Amino acid sequence: MVGSQDLRTPVVVALQTLAVAACYYVSGQLGLLRELVVEGAVVTPIWPPTGVSVACLLILGLRCWPGIALGAFFIILSLTSLTPSALGVLAGNTAAPVAGYLLLRRAGFRADLARLRDGLALVFLGAFTAMLISSTTGAGILIATGKIEWPGFWAVWLAWWVGDAMGVLIVTPVLLLLSRVRLPLPLSRWKEATGLAVIACCLVPLAAHSPFSLLFLIYPLLIWAALRFQLAGSMVCALFASVMTTVAATDRVGPFERLSRVEVMMKLQAFNGAMALTALILSAVITEQIYTRRSVERACQELVEVLEHLTAGEAADGRSPVEDGLPTRRQEE
């Protein structure tokens, strides 16, 4: 029996590693479908593998990092030959999500994102801080190998950093949410959810492809989704809006039609970043308030039950239970 358990653990770890590598590779191929060229370097506005990596580390733990490295290896191998510079990019893409996981764990991060501090930690530690490693490593290697010139370093570095950070901000919350889904799903608000989905499917593509810069119309949908469905509604809506806007930006249509490549990247990343921050922080604040209200209601209910119990005991013996066994002042005299 002990031998069977000892054999089972390496098999489970191996399967988890392969699953993480497969998810990383598939999400990377999806991200490569939409590319932008900045200062001669090809970058992705959103790099989903960073979000997949951070989510897998938060769900499975640090033992899944070989799967991240393996997935990054196959992505790089599909794009170029294996060179020392490619190995450097591989190391940076592996170290960044691992650093984000370690920072989040040190900050006491909870995967349910039910507190404002969890949302802020994911933004500033898991996304903004940790992804400095991959962007600095990648842009530095491009400079060292002569693929870009020094004047274009900061533009490439910023595009790389924002793309990796957007992967964490948009993809990681959705995957953490999916990991906590339990069947059967509650259907108490299915009519409202269906209405929100229909409106989003009609309004978001229109706003993303309209030449009149109607992207601001997406924010009321995010607020509606956050107020009524918290993280599940706001982050799914943000993911859909980000995908549609990225498609419009890479196709150079709608509000991105007459912009230069750098302007397209700046406008797209500003919109995606503001939208992801709004959805994540707002849903975290609302969820925290709901939990606080439930805790207060539970405490009030327990207090009512205690008072009812004390009242019932006082009515049974005709005097307060506090007075039982206690001498009165007159008896002491």
Side-chain angles (χ1 to χ4, degrees):
M1 188 59 137
V2 176
S4 176
Q5 292 178 351
D6 292 340
L7 290 175
R8 189 183 307 167
T9 301
V11 172
V12 171
V13 172
L15 291 176
Q16 289 178 348
T17 300
L18 293 176
V20 171
C23 293
Y24 190 105
Y25 181 80
V26 171
S27 63
Q29 293 298 327
L30 291 175
L32 291 173
L33 293 176
R34 295 292 169 174
E35 301 174 345
L36 290 174
V37 179
V38 178
E39 299 294 336
V42 178
V43 296
T44 55
I46 301 174
W47 186 236
T50 56
V52 172
S53 301
V54 174
C56 289
L57 287 166
L58 291 172
I59 295 170
L60 301 176
L62 196 58
R63 67 178 182 272
C64 74
W65 76 264
I68 298 172
L70 187 61
F73 172 78
F74 284 117
I75 285 289
I76 292 174
L77 205 61
S78 68
L79 297 174
T80 183
S81 59
L82 196 61
T83 60
S85 60
L87 292 177
V89 174
L90 169 63
N93 289 349
T94 304
V98 171
Y101 165 74
L102 294 176
L103 289 172
L104 289 174
R105 189 177 66 174
R106 186 173 183 84
F109 177 82
R110 286 187 354 200
D112 57 0
L113 289 168
R115 303 174 300 177
L116 177 60
R117 59 176 293 183
D118 297 326
L120 295 175
L122 184 64
V123 171
F124 291 102
L125 298 180
F128 291 171
T129 301
M131 296 306 122
L132 292 172
I133 299 174
S134 57
S135 60
T136 304
T137 302
I141 288 175
L142 292 179
I143 286 288
T145 55
K147 294 183 179 180
I148 60 173
E149 302 295 332
W150 271 110
F153 172 81
W154 290 112
V156 174
W157 177 88
L158 182 62
W160 196 313
W161 175 65
V162 174
D164 286 357
M166 288 303 101
V168 177
L169 292 181
I170 294 176
V171 178
T172 298
V174 175
L175 295 180
L176 293 178
L177 175 69
L178 291 176
S179 69
R180 301 174 63 86
V181 170
R182 298 294 181 268
L183 297 177
L185 296 175
L187 300 177
S188 57
R189 295 180 180 174
W190 67 270
K191 293 182 179 179
E192 184 179 2
T194 303
L196 176 61
V198 171
I199 294 175
C201 290
C202 296
L203 182 60
V204 171
L206 175 63
H209 291 78
S210 173
F212 301 109
S213 295
L214 300 178
L215 293 177
F216 64 91
L217 294 178
I218 297 176
Y219 284 95
L221 286 178
L222 288 179
I223 297 173
W224 178 12
L227 288 173
R228 300 296 291 169
F229 303 100
Q230 289 77 56
L231 189 68
S234 63
M235 292 314 303
V236 171
C237 185
L239 177 62
F240 177 66
S242 178
V243 170
M244 290 292 100
T245 309
T246 301
V247 170
T250 52
D251 289 341
R252 308 292 289 273
V253 298
F256 306 95
E257 184 176 2
R258 296 180 179 85
L259 303 180
S260 65
R261 292 176 177 177
V262 175
E263 290 173 341
V264 168
M265 174 62 74
M266 293 180 61
K267 186 171 184 175
L268 174 63
Q269 299 296 41
F271 171 76
N272 283 339
M275 182 181 57
L277 288 174
T278 300
L280 184 60
I281 301 301
L282 182 60
S283 60
V285 170
I286 294 172
T287 302
E288 187 175 40
Q289 290 180 346
I290 291 175
Y291 282 2
T292 301
R293 184 188 65 188
R294 290 176 180 175
S295 298
V296 172
E297 291 176 351
R298 191 179 305 112
C300 292
Q301 182 63 32
E302 292 176 355
L303 180 60
V304 169
E305 293 176 356
V306 170
L307 292 176
E308 290 178 351
H309 178 72
L310 293 175
T311 303
E314 182 178 350
D317 55 11
R319 55 181 178 176
S320 174
V322 179
E323 297 179 357
D324 290 347
L326 295 179
T328 63
R329 183 181 300 273
R330 182 175 298 176
Q331 289 174 344
E332 290 177 354
E333 294 176 352

